Structures are given as C-alpha cells and as structure tokens.
C-alpha cells in the first residue's frame, strides 16, 4: 500500500476513534456510576479504580416497580409501532405507485409532520385525551405516537416501494391477482428491509419518548423513561440510581439495534429518488 494511502487510512481510523470516544464517554460515565459507591461518585478528581457495588441496583428494585415500568414501555412501543406500520405502509405504497407528479411532495409533507415540535402537539392532544377519557392510559401515548410515527413510516416506505420494480406486481395483476393480493403477496416481500427499518425507528421514537409519556400517563402507566426523572430530588440527584435505571432503559434498545443493525443502516441510507 502506498504511503499516502496508508496515512489516509490511519487518519480515517483515528478520526473514527476520536468520534467514538466523544460519543461514548457520557454513556460509559453514566453506566459506571451505577456500580460506584456514593463516595466514589462524588470523588474529586474522579476515580478510575473503585470497588464495584450493587447497592444502586438494589435501590432500583426496592423503590421502583421495574416490571411495570418495562411493561408500559413495551406496550406503548409495540402498540404504536404496529399501528404506525398498519397505517403507514399501505399509504407509502399508494404514493409510490401513484402517477401524480405531486406524490413525492406529499411524501415529503409527511416527513415534515414528524419534525413538528412535540410541545406544539402536547397541549391540544392532552385536552383531547382528557375529554374522551383516555388521559392516563397507555392508549393516549400510543395514539399520539402513532399519529407522528405513521407519517414517518409513509415517507420511509414511499422510498422503498418506489425503488422496488413495479413490473412484478403488474405481472401478478395480469395473472389474475387482485390489487390487494399484489400488495401483500408481491410488493411487501420485496421491501422487508424497509419494513424492519421503519419498525426500528418507530420503536426507538416510542421507547425514548419522555414528554408525551410524562404528561399523558399516570403512576401505574408511566414508562421507564419517565421513571428516570425520579432520580432527581428536591435537593440532590441520586446519580447511582439514575445510572442503574439507565441500564434498563438503554440496554433493550441497544440489543435490538445490534441484532437488526444492517436493516437500520439501510433505512438510514435509503433515499427518495
């Protein structure tokens, strides 16, 4: 390998390492304080070597109904993801197969909906859920997340369906297949990576949501992202408890991302042509 190419490769690897250190340093710090005694958490200068303790995890199991928190997070994430796909996938397919030149602009309009500031939709939706009696339930958060995530799914699936060849579906229609049959049996199998990528994004948005879950749920329906706020007291912050709770809030989504990483990357790189 020429010297210039070798230096270029080393420079890129060094840059990647620097970015990784900057990105992962706060995460490593937050996770490490879960195993530190209080004296080591507030040590100045910070101690790199310490005797691990499980007291912070014991506090989490003692003061929090962890099973209930995870159940609420899972129900909201899975429920909103399922509804978003049920609504967004057919809409994305319809736009992709539309012959109107305005279809692509409509697809971008759905993407713009996802960029609306959360606080702008919270107050009217809070009043709506209160009036129809769903305030404090899982459904309140599921419906709001579905309204926002389905718009994102429409944009994502529009790109995937548009990249898929329509000739296969036309052949199926010629053979006597119905429009719905061509969609389910022919079009959907060709965009499985897009379906998985869209589902991953929806789960991420719903699992990490704090604002909607904070104001639209109550004590027995709150999610683990809301429970993280409990580490903040009126006089101090229970950093050890916060670090321990962060394990249960972060690790499930990280495991999912590692398992489905290649679909997630494809979803990030798939563009609207």
């Amino acid at each position: 390998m020429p010297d210039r190419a070798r230096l270029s490769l080393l420079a890129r690897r060094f840059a990647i390492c620097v970015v990784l250190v900057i990105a992962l340093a706060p995460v490593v710090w937050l996770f490490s304080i879960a195993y530190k005694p209080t004296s080591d958490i507030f040590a100045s200068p910070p101690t790199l070597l310490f005797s691990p303790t499980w007291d912070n995890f014991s506090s989490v199991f003692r003061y929090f109904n962890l099973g209930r928190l995870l159940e609420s997070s899972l129900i909201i994430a899975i429920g909103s993801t399922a509804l978003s796909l049920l609504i967004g996938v057919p809409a994305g397919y319809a736009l992709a197969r539309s012959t109107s030149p305005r279809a692509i602009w409509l697809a971008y309009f759905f993407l713009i909906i996802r960029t609306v500031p959360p606080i702008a939709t919270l107050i009217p939706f809070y009043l709506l859920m209160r009036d129809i009696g769903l305030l404090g339930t899982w459904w309140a958060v599921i419906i709001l997340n579905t309204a926002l995530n389905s718009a994102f799914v429409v944009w994502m699936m529009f790109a995937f369906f548009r990249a898929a060849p329509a000739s296969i579906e036309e052949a199926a229609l010629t053979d006597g297949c119905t429009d719905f049959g061509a969609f389910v049996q022919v079009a959907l199998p060709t965009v499985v990576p897009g379906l998985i990528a869209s589902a991953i994004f929806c789960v991420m948005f719903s699992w990490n949501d704090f604002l909607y879950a904070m104001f639209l749920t109550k004590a027995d329906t709150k999610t683990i992202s809301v429970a993280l706020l409990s580490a903040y007291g009126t006089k101090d912050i229970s950093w050890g408890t916060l670090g321990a709770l962060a394990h249960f809030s972060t690790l499930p989504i990280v495991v999912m991302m590692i398992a489905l990483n290649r679909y997630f990357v494809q979803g990030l790189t798939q563009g609207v042509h």
Side-chain angles (χ1 to χ4, degrees):
M1 180 183 297
D3 292 340
R4 176 175 292 185
R6 185 180 293 108
L7 288 175
S8 177
L9 178 61
L10 291 175
R12 289 197 298 268
R13 289 179 176 177
F14 177 76
I16 292 173
C17 291
V18 171
V19 173
L20 282 175
V21 169
I22 295 174
L24 294 179
V27 179
V28 173
W29 175 82
L30 181 61
F31 273 39
S32 66
I33 63 175
Y35 305 94
K36 287 184 177 181
T38 304
S39 58
D40 288 327
I41 293 176
F42 296 100
S44 182
T47 57
L48 297 177
L49 299 177
F50 57 90
S51 299
T53 179
W54 293 98
D55 291 344
N56 295 316
F57 288 93
S58 299
S59 298
V60 168
F61 288 105
R62 187 182 309 117
Y63 298 114
F64 295 91
N65 188 345
L66 192 59
R68 188 65 171 176
L69 295 174
L70 291 173
E71 178 189 19
S72 296
S73 295
L74 284 172
I75 289 176
I76 290 174
I78 295 174
S80 61
T81 298
L83 288 177
S84 297
L85 293 177
L86 186 63
I87 297 171
V89 173
Y93 175 75
L95 281 177
R97 295 295 178 257
S98 173
T99 57
S100 172
R102 298 183 180 86
I104 188 170
W105 299 109
L106 186 57
Y108 275 112
F109 171 76
F110 281 108
L111 179 62
I112 293 172
I113 292 176
R114 193 61 185 83
T115 66
V116 174
I119 193 64
T121 59
L122 176 61
I123 296 177
F125 201 83
Y126 177 93
L127 298 176
L128 175 63
M129 290 297 103
R130 183 197 63 184
D131 293 342
I132 64 177
L134 290 180
L135 188 63
T137 67
W138 292 321
W139 277 111
V141 186
I142 290 174
I143 294 173
L144 182 50
N145 282 338
T146 299
L148 297 177
N149 291 344
S150 59
F152 184 80
V153 172
V154 171
W155 180 79
M156 282 276 292
M157 296 312 301
F158 169 76
F160 278 95
F161 280 123
R162 201 165 185 233
S167 57
I168 305 177
E169 300 161 40
E170 294 171 356
L173 293 173
T174 303
D175 290 338
C177 189
T178 62
D179 291 336
F180 182 75
F183 167 65
V184 174
Q185 300 176 23
V186 180
L188 283 183
T190 63
V191 294
V192 170
L195 291 172
I196 297 177
S198 299
I200 291 174
F201 276 110
C202 291
V203 170
M204 286 177 56
F205 291 146
S206 299
W207 183 273
N208 294 326
D209 170 57
F210 170 79
L211 186 64
Y212 299 143
M214 175 67 183
F215 289 96
L216 299 177
T217 60
K218 55 185 180 181
D220 59 344
T221 57
K222 68 180 180 179
T223 63
I224 194 167
S225 61
V226 177
L228 290 169
L229 187 65
S230 303
Y232 287 78
T234 55
K235 296 182 179 180
D236 61 355
I237 300 174
S238 302
W239 290 107
T241 303
L242 181 63
L245 271 176
H247 280 64
F248 301 101
S249 177
T250 306
L251 290 180
I253 205 75
V254 169
V255 171
M256 182 191 72
M257 288 298 304
I258 293 175
L260 302 174
N261 176 63
R262 64 191 183 97
Y263 297 108
F264 180 70
V265 172
Q266 186 172 352
L268 284 174
T269 56
Q270 180 73 43
V272 179
H273 304 289

